[in-house]
């Protein structure tokens, strides 16, 4: 059996959990020559769905029997199975517990009933405090075992690994379908998270990358004495072998001053703030069913930098949302210019099945959206390059992630750079450094968002 993963870091954790389950069920993971290929799909945006289908088709061309799992399989289920006969089975989250048996059925040509999607927000109580008991009867990726057992198998030996702290989302952003197929928000128990973090550290992980659909909501469904993210971070940072803890996906409207201080002041927690701004015009944000505006977002940015002037702040933005005016776009430009973020993703709006925004008036044509993406993208490229230039002459601590085979340079990431999305550090004359090393460096130059650094003497 082989396992292919598409999408975000949350999917990477799901795949390692699936690998752990399948290993216990007697399946051996191989890179080539698999009888069955499991594709952990992504269903977030149109391009991700296309990539998932292309991967399923390519896997079927190998002659293996193909099984679709993950977000796209959960979201579309039988509809996907009917339109893609190349897939021997399309399975949802609730079928993960007996996945090893279902793969045996697939391998031996037995029919497997396709997943029938439901709105997963309806499977758990509306009141968050009642969800911890109720989740035991619902398959929630990232949940389902106690703190003494980790049902996960690492699929690589990278010094950084995602660690899921929660699943689902209670927000109702008008452009987003994720809550309908990921379900209501459920926190993992702190002891369970710490146990898995210890296991990761024992298996060579130096940086923990905390992931969820909304990390700022962590703990809202737990008893008060179990604490929130502010109490969890010091526990994770104190684990032997862990040198850096990084938090992802914070909602600006839910980011309390105490959380900002905890991230900025807790030793070994990266001064890194992944803020889900999405836009800064109050008019657009209201149509997105979100809160905030340019001035409140700038106030949050200043608050972060008051605690940690060199903190990395990154975000994503949607342009071309239905009803977005030229004034709205200028407001976004004002925010970006004044905030001087370290890394920014710009996405043009597109309809998502089943979302409120799909039915909104004021849709912009594709050419207008493309022009706005280009316009904001050009601004962002200039601003983030300037932000990187501002770091020249400063000191950074770099985690070495890649050793160059034919040169003396290495590639790694500083505290303000998350895996894969925020640029990297090119470490000059790095002889003797190995993957997983943390090293103090001085920034001597920049290329776009990437930094050129030299190792400081010890």
């Amino acid at each position: 059996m082989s396992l292919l993963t598409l999408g975000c870091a949350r999917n990477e954790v799901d795949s390692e959990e699936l690998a752990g389950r399948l290993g216990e069920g007697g399946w051996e993971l191989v890179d080539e020559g698999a009888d069955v290929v499991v594709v952990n799909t992504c269903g977030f945006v149109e391009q991700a769905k296309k990539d998932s289908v292309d991967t399923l088709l390519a896997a079927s061309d190998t002659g293996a029997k193909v099984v679709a799992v993950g977000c796209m399989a959960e979201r579309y289920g039988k509809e996907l199975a009917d339109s893609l006969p190349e897939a021997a089975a399309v399975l949802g989250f609730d079928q993960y517990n007996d996945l090893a048996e279902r793969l045996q059925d697939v391998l031996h040509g037995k029919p497997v009933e396709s997943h029938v999607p439901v709105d997963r927000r309806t499977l758990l109580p509306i009141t968050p405090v009642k969800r911890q008991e109720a989740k035991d009867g619902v398959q929630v990726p990232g949940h389902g075992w106690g703190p003494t057992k980790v049902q996960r198998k690492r699929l690589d030996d990278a010094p950084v690994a995602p660690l899921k702290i929660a699943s689902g989302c209670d927000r109702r952003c008008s452009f987003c379908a994720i809550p309908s197929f990921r379900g209501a928000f459920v926190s993992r128990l702190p002891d369970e998270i710490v146990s898995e973090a210890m296991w990761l550290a024992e298996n060579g992980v130096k940086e923990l990358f905390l992931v969820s659909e909304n990390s700022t909501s962590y703990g809202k469904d737990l008893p008060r004495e179990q604490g929130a993210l502010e109490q969890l971070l010091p526990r994770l940072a104190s684990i032997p072998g862990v040198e850096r803890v990084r938090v992802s996906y914070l909602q600006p409207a839910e980011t309390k001053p105490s959380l900002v201080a905890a991230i900025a002041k807790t030793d070994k927690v990266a001064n890194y703030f992944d803020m889900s701004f999405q836009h800064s015009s109050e008019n657009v944000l209201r149509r997105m069913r979100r809160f905030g505006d340019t001035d409140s977002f700038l106030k949050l940015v200043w608050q972060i930098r008051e605690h940690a002037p060199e903190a990395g702040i990154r975000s994503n933005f949607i342009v071309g949302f239905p009803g977005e005016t030229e004034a709205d776009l200028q407001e976004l430009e004002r925010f970006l210019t004044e905030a001087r973020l370290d890394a920014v993703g710009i996405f043009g709006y597109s309809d998502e099945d089943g979302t409120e925004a799909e039915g909104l008036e004021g849709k912009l044509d594709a050419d207008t959206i493309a022009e706005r993406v280009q316009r904001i993208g050009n601004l962002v490229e200039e601003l983030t390059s300037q932000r990187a230039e501002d770091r020249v002459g400063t000191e950074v601590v770099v985690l070495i992630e890649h050793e160059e085979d034919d040169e003396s340079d290495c590639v790694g990431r500083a505290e303000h750079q998350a895996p894969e999305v925020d640029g990297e550090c090119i470490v000059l004359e790095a002889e003797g450094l190995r993957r997983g090393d943390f090293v103090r460096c001085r920034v001597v130059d920049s290329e776009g968002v990437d930094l050129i650094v030299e190792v400081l003497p010890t």
Side-chain angles (χ1 to χ4, degrees), residues 98-213:
D98 58 357
L99 184 60
E101 291 83 358
R102 297 291 74 75
L103 295 192
Q104 287 288 351
D105 291 341
V106 167
L107 183 62
H108 294 99
K110 297 180 181 179
V112 176
E113 186 175 351
S114 297
H115 165 63
V116 178
V118 297
D119 187 335
R120 294 189 68 85
R121 292 171 293 190
T122 64
L123 300 181
L124 290 171
I126 294 175
T127 306
V129 295
K130 296 181 179 180
R131 291 178 187 161
Q132 287 296 325
E133 294 181 5
K135 74 173 172 47
D136 293 336
V138 176
Q139 180 61 44
V140 179
H143 296 70
W145 53 88
T148 60
K149 180 181 180 182
V150 176
Q151 194 170 5
R152 178 174 176 180
K153 175 182 174 61
R154 293 216 68 198
L155 298 177
D156 61 37
D157 61 353
V160 58
L163 175 60
K164 188 176 293 186
I165 63 172
S167 290
C169 185
D170 287 341
R171 301 183 70 88
R172 295 294 180 265
C173 302
S174 63
F175 57 84
C176 183
I178 288 176
S180 66
F181 56 86
R182 276 290 182 177
F185 184 90
V186 184
S187 302
R188 293 182 69 189
L189 299 176
D191 286 350
E192 182 181 315
I193 297 171
V194 171
S195 177
E196 186 168 328
M198 293 173 65
W199 176 83
L200 288 168
E202 291 166 0
N203 282 271
V205 171
K206 302 292 186 65
E207 179 178 319
L208 302 174
F209 187 29
L210 308 189
V211 299
S212 71
E213 278 73 29

Side-chain angles (χ1 to χ4, degrees), residues 241-418:
V242 171
E243 297 295 332
R244 183 182 285 167
V245 179
R246 184 182 303 278
V247 183
S248 73
Y249 214 76
L250 303 172
Q251 289 289 344
E254 298 178 36
T255 303
K256 298 177 292 185
S258 60
L259 179 57
V260 173
I263 293 174
K265 301 302 183 182
T266 303
D267 186 38
K268 293 188 178 181
V269 173
N271 282 324
Y272 175 81
F273 294 81
D274 177 15
M275 307 301 306
S276 176
F277 290 121
Q278 302 299 347
H279 211 284
S280 75
S281 163
E282 184 176 15
N283 169 57
V284 174
L285 288 166
R286 293 300 175 271
R287 290 172 68 83
M288 289 180 169
R289 294 203 178 277
R290 295 174 66 86
F291 302 96
D293 55 29
T294 296
D295 292 331
S296 66
F297 289 170
L298 286 173
K299 183 178 178 181
L300 178 57
V301 169
W302 306 149
Q303 182 185 86
I304 290 169
R305 291 193 173 135
E306 183 178 356
H307 282 288
E310 299 301 322
I313 307 176
R314 70 110 49 223
S315 191
N316 294 323
F317 297 86
I318 299 172
V319 298
F321 193 78
E324 181 190 66
T325 65
E326 172 62 25
D328 295 325
L329 203 65
Q330 291 177 6
E331 191 70 0
L332 176 57
E333 289 174 325
R334 179 169 79 89
F335 171 72
L336 291 168
T337 301
E338 295 186 30
R340 298 181 65 79
L341 306 180
D342 292 86
V344 177
I346 301 297
F347 300 91
Y349 171 80
S350 62
D351 286 336
E352 276 295 304
D353 297 338
T355 61
E356 180 185 352
E358 191 179 21
L360 289 178
E361 297 180 352
K363 296 285 180 63
L364 304 180
D365 62 75
D367 288 343
T368 299
I369 294 174
E371 289 171 2
R372 293 186 177 187
V373 168
Q374 185 67 46
R375 169 177 161 183
I376 300 299
N378 289 341
L379 175 63
V380 161
E381 183 176 0
E382 178 182 355
L383 293 171
T384 54
S385 295
Q386 290 174 0
R387 178 68 175 161
E389 289 173 7
D390 291 343
R391 295 186 182 274
V392 173
T394 65
E395 291 186 16
V396 292
V397 177
V398 177
L399 169 60
I400 302 300
E401 292 189 302
H402 305 287
E403 303 169 37
E404 297 296 333
D405 294 331
D406 55 351
E407 298 179 6
S408 61
D409 300 344
C410 286
V411 179
R413 287 180 299 103
E415 191 173 358
H416 69 282
Q417 297 169 320

